[in-house]
Amino acid sequence: MAWDNRAARNVEHEQFMREALALAKEAAALGEVPVGAVVVKDGEIVGRGYNRPISSADPTAHAEIVALREAAAKAGNYRLPGCELYVTLEPCPMCVGAMVHARIARVVYGAADPKTGACGSIVDLPALSVFNHHGRFEGGTLQAECGEILKRFFAERR
């Protein structure tokens, strides 16, 4: 029985990560680094975002932040307990901080980020015991697909 629940959960993770991948493609079409994110509450997407710091002239306009802002506006609260965030790339320190402040219950990311990843690649911020909130951070969902869109994007720019 437990295996069946895990299998169903993996299908759900992949479904939401595919939504995030579709958003990453929107970012790429605008010339932005292709990262997409969705916030999910009770199985429904309540926030969507893709990278747009260049087009918005906003250094904080990472996919995760955009999705968190939309979800918070819908909830009428900056805290989003019980929500999950799916993002195609391992979050950076800024985004991990925002997720902790928002009280996100679970973060599922696709590809690791060896340059700015803050969930184990360069630093493991979620593991710090000093934070007053500890959500679950899990990497590797659709990792190859999430990594491929980034590789393709940067290869086209070389």
Side-chain angles (χ1 to χ4, degrees):
M1 181 79 167
W3 187 85
D4 290 338
N5 289 340
R6 270 182 278 151
R9 190 70 177 144
N10 287 338
V11 168
E12 185 176 71
H13 282 335
E14 288 182 10
Q15 170 195 348
F16 291 124
M17 190 62 76
R18 289 194 192 288
E19 292 288 332
L21 274 165
L23 291 164
K25 290 174 185 172
E26 289 186 43
L30 295 174
E32 300 274 5
V33 174
V35 178
V38 295
V39 176
V40 176
K41 174 76 172 176
D42 300 325
E44 298 293 325
I45 295 175
V46 295
R48 297 175 193 275
Y50 56 82
N51 266 7
R52 56 182 83 166
I54 297 167
S55 59
S56 66
D58 178 358
T60 69
H62 289 196
E64 302 96 309
I65 301 296
V66 175
L68 286 169
R69 286 177 179 157
E70 183 175 298
K74 285 182 181 173
N77 193 338
Y78 75 99
R79 291 206 170 147
L80 300 168
C83 287
E84 299 175 318
L85 188 144
Y86 293 81
V87 60
T88 57
L89 183 64
E90 179 182 1
C92 73
M94 173 184 70
C95 293
V96 169
M99 293 168 197
V100 169
H101 286 294
R103 307 297 195 264
I104 296 294
R106 179 191 313 252
V107 175
V108 178
Y109 63 90
D113 184 350
K115 294 190 180 199
T116 63
C119 299
S121 287
I122 62 164
V123 66
D124 193 356
L125 291 180
L128 293 177
S129 62
V130 296
F131 284 140
N132 62 348
H133 171 74
H134 293 278
R136 292 179 56 190
F137 287 73
E138 306 168 14
T141 298
L142 299 181
Q143 181 174 358
E145 291 175 56
C146 292
E148 184 57 35
I149 191 172
L150 289 157
K151 287 178 193 169
R152 200 173 329 123
F153 176 82
F154 288 112
E156 291 171 0
R157 273 143 187 78
R158 289 187 193 122

